[in-house]
Amino acid sequence: VNPLPLTAVPLPIFQCSNGAVTTATFDLTVNESVTTAGATGMIVSYYNTLVDAQTPSSIITTPLSYLGSDNETVYVRVEDSATGCYSVTTQLLRVTQGPVAITPTP
């Protein structure tokens, strides 16, 4: 019996919006070393639902430029490339509202 890979829940990823929307572009890979608990030989993939991460299906194909929304949870699958065993953890996305720039009248 092979052990499951160790995983950790990373701190939320914060991105700024332009103040008019609650979505932003995220690099989901910034916390991979935290998510894998520093282990090497792990395959990390990202999903919108827990079921997708467990199956795995409907993978997020753009983890470096993912359009996410405030308080969205992304499911992170950490798979040992040697054994095929996997664990799933979560990554919280937070969008900080930036100011809306207004052009003043001359």
Side-chain angles (χ1 to χ4, degrees):
V1 175
N2 294 312
L4 297 177
L6 293 176
T7 58
V9 177
L11 293 174
I13 301 173
F14 288 88
Q15 286 295 347
C16 294
S17 77
N18 65 6
V21 296
T22 58
T23 59
T25 302
F26 292 86
D27 177 356
L28 300 178
T29 67
V30 297
N31 286 332
E32 278 189 7
S33 63
V34 174
T35 303
T36 62
T40 59
M42 299 294 148
I43 301 167
V44 180
S45 50
Y46 304 89
Y47 303 86
N48 292 111
T49 69
L50 178 59
V51 172
D52 288 344
Q54 293 170 331
T55 311
S57 62
S58 298
I59 189 170
I60 293 174
T61 58
T62 56
L64 296 173
S65 59
Y66 176 71
L67 183 62
S69 57
D70 189 36
N71 280 325
E72 180 178 349
T73 299
V74 172
Y75 295 86
V76 184
R77 179 183 171 115
V78 177
E79 184 175 338
D80 187 321
S81 60
T83 66
C85 296
Y86 71 92
S87 294
V88 176
T89 189
T90 59
Q91 174 66 68
L92 180 63
L93 307 180
R94 296 301 315 264
V95 177
T96 304
Q97 291 291 314
V100 175
I102 300 172
T103 304
T105 55

